Amino acid sequence: AFRQPGGSKQWCPADAKPSRGGLHVSQRHNGIMHVWTTAAPPFFKNGYIVACEDTREAVLIDPGDDVQEQLAIVRREQVRVKWILLTHAHVDHVTGVGAAKAALGAPVWLHRDDLFLYDRAADQARLFGVEATQPPPPDRFYEEGQTLAFGNLAVEVAHTPGHCPGV
């Protein structure tokens, strides 16, 4: 959940619409934050950019095959990405990490329990018949209950293993 520090939780649902080249992009704005949702073939997982309305500081979440669209949004909307946040390390959520880190210079966050998957992202891709470059090592690891602030917003880390061992 995204919230203002000391404030109530805010949720912005995605309503992806077809776009060029099979990409899907939607935008939500609630006066506190902007949320852009992206998805691209072959997996069509959701990736996000969440930016503070006041400061334009942002986080980029799960850069996969939609990374070029995410980077285009970052440039067009003139937001400054503070962190690249990974919800988990399945291949569809990490194929764009290298390009995002190279373009933005932002540190990559991952839960330590997903490191074994992340370190084998290129192998995961081959299982699906997809080529992928191994992403760069994560810079930081999440801890349960940790708060990551950006702009006037914050993300609270909740360890929710199940789909993957990490977050």
Side-chain angles (χ1 to χ4, degrees):
F2 294 93
R3 64 177 175 82
Q4 289 184 290
S8 62
K9 290 184 178 180
Q10 303 289 323
W11 176 249
C12 294
D15 63 345
K17 299 175 201 154
S19 182
R20 60 182 157 72
L23 293 170
H24 295 267
V25 178
S26 67
Q27 179 185 6
R28 295 283 188 182
H29 177 248
N30 65 4
I32 298 168
M33 70 180 120
H34 291 271
V35 178
W36 293 270
T37 306
T38 58
F43 296 109
F44 287 101
K45 66 88 195 146
N46 288 326
Y48 304 92
I49 301 161
V50 180
C52 175
E53 169 73 17
D54 294 332
T55 67
R56 307 301 285 174
E57 195 166 61
V59 293
L60 189 143
I61 303 170
D62 290 343
D65 294 323
D66 53 346
V67 68
Q68 293 308 318
E69 186 67 27
Q70 288 178 318
L71 293 173
I73 291 167
V74 166
R75 287 188 300 272
R76 181 183 71 233
E77 301 296 331
Q78 299 178 353
V79 297
R80 293 175 315 283
V81 174
K82 184 174 183 179
W83 295 309
I84 299 167
L85 305 179
L86 304 178
T87 59
H88 63 287
H90 281 162
V91 66
D92 53 330
H93 292 254
V94 302
T95 55
V97 171
K101 184 164 176 75
L104 303 169
V108 175
W109 287 76
L110 177 70
H111 192 279
R112 188 177 303 278
D113 290 352
D114 269 12
L115 188 57
F116 77 100
L117 288 168
Y118 189 79
D119 287 344
R120 292 170 183 82
D123 295 335
Q124 287 184 62
R126 281 191 289 281
L127 291 172
F128 290 97
V130 177
E131 288 295 319
T133 303
Q134 185 60 39
D139 299 291
R140 300 182 184 161
F141 294 102
Y142 300 119
E143 297 293 333
E144 174 70 26
Q146 183 177 26
T147 300
L148 306 176
F150 59 100
N152 296 326
L153 303 172
V155 176
E156 185 176 325
V157 175
H159 187 218
T160 56
H163 182 66
C164 273
V167 228

